[in-house]
Amino acid sequence: AVVSTQSTGDLVEWRQMLDLLWSDPKSGLGCEPNTFRGGGTYFGPDISEAVLDKHNMKLLVRSHECKPDGYDVVHGGRVVTVFSASNYYEEGSNLGAYLKMTSALKPQFVQYSASSKTSHLPLYERVSMVESSAFRDLRTRIFANQGALLEKFQALDPNNTGLITTSEWAESLRAVLCLDLPWRTLRTKLVESDEHGKVRYNSCFTDGCIEASIEDKQVTETIYRQRNTLETIFRILDTDNSGSLTREELRAGCDLLAKHTTSIQLSSQDLDQLVDTMDINRDGHINFNEFLESFRLVDNKFAQMQHQ
């Protein structure tokens, strides 16, 4: 009898998983077998409303169904489909998307499309690309603190040999960057060493990727050092705490500044142009990275105008 009960329970659980995995919303009322998938059901808006109301829920977020825009909202806004795999069938067949919930618990969708060069890479190559990106960001942070690091290194190198021990190099990075990372393990990825194992500390700042990606070293370092201040300004403007700025939030910020200075007067057209310029990924919102990048681009543009 015990075996029979367990088997029945396993069967029920299996059917529940099958329904969760393969069921899709439909526009018509009612519930019927999902003959296209061979499992699960098609459920209408009346079913969604009944289930959500029964369990005192407002929204059902589901996936496992490709959508051209990466997401879809149906059943009176109560059922959301999110599909994160862009180019699912072939290049350009669909966008991918993910969902963020605002502080007011309203869904906000972010769309994207994987590059044709990376969309079909095997897992180990994709992991390698993520690792490379992380090291690039870490080198950029080292570069942004070049002055303080050099001062620390040179204090440990009174004879100006350009060499310090691995321990001295690791402790210097930990002290200046305030990052408790396994610097000894990361050493081979970040700096060169001589035949005796000592670190050539100047090689921290000669990475070609950094030199090529940063047009103005002083501007980059200044922006990075003022990151906390800029983040505070960003959070003040982000009144709904969604993690991104809308046109309305930016307008409110500009109006506030206009009350305290006569040098900032933006028309609606000026504001639209400003948002379009700052909205680098063209999703209609300005995230913090785009906010930071806008300061660097404007400063570089201003420097070019001064040289002309």
Side-chain angles (χ1 to χ4, degrees), residues 113-125:
S113 180
S115 168
S116 59
K117 296 180 180 179
T118 61
S119 57
H120 301 297
L121 289 177
L123 178 61
Y124 75 90
E125 290 192 34

Side-chain angles (χ1 to χ4, degrees), residues 221-238 288 291-292 295:
E221 183 168 353
T222 300
I223 289 175
Y224 194 90
R225 291 185 183 282
Q226 299 301 322
R227 179 186 177 96
N228 289 339
T229 301
L230 292 172
E231 186 169 4
T232 299
I233 295 172
F234 183 87
R235 292 187 182 280
I236 291 172
L237 295 175
D238 182 20
F288 183 58
F291 188 70
L292 282 183
F295 282 90

Side-chain angles (χ1 to χ4, degrees), residues 73-92:
V73 182
V74 296
H75 293 184
R78 301 195 70 180
V79 174
V80 171
T81 299
V82 180
F83 194 76
S84 61
S86 63
N87 307 310
Y88 184 69
Y89 297 110
E90 61 182 35
E91 185 72 15

Side-chain angles (χ1 to χ4, degrees), residues 171-294:
E171 288 304 315
S172 297
L173 287 171
R174 185 173 289 108
V176 173
L177 302 184
C178 299
L179 290 176
D180 191 16
L181 297 176
W183 293 109
R184 291 172 178 270
T185 304
L186 300 175
R187 175 181 57 82
T188 56
K189 300 282 189 177
L190 299 171
V191 71
E192 299 174 1
S193 301
D194 70 356
E195 63 274 14
H196 302 295
K198 286 199 169 185
V199 170
R200 304 182 190 274
Y201 55 81
N202 282 312
S203 63
C204 279
F205 318 111
T206 57
D207 185 270
C209 294
I210 294 177
E211 296 290 341
S213 63
I214 298 178
E215 299 173 14
D216 191 319
K217 303 174 185 179
Q218 185 176 2
V219 171
T220 301
E221 183 168 353
T222 300
I223 289 175
Y224 194 90
R225 291 185 183 282
Q226 299 301 322
R227 179 186 177 96
N228 289 339
T229 301
L230 292 172
E231 186 169 4
T232 299
I233 295 172
F234 183 87
R235 292 187 182 280
I236 291 172
L237 295 175
D238 182 20
T239 55
D240 65 354
N241 298 314
S242 65
S244 61
L245 302 180
T246 63
R247 293 176 188 270
E248 291 72 22
E249 288 172 331
L250 197 57
R251 161 61 71 186
C254 291
D255 289 343
L256 180 62
L257 289 174
K259 292 180 180 179
H260 299 279
T261 176
T262 57
S263 61
I264 300 178
Q265 298 292 334
L266 290 177
S267 66
S268 295
Q269 184 177 358
D270 292 333
L271 180 64
D272 288 339
Q273 187 175 4
L274 176 64
V275 173
D276 289 340
T277 302
M278 298 177 74
D279 184 15
I280 297 173
N281 66 1
R282 299 291 185 267
D283 66 350
H285 297 80
I286 301 167
N287 61 38
F288 183 58
N289 288 331
E290 291 173 325
F291 188 70
L292 282 183
E293 181 67 4
S294 298

Side-chain angles (χ1 to χ4, degrees), residues 12 14 78 119 145 168 194 251 276 296 301:
V12 171
W14 177 80
R78 301 195 70 180
S119 57
N145 289 271
E168 291 171 335
D194 70 356
R251 161 61 71 186
D276 289 340
R296 186 182 72 82
K301 183 66 175 178

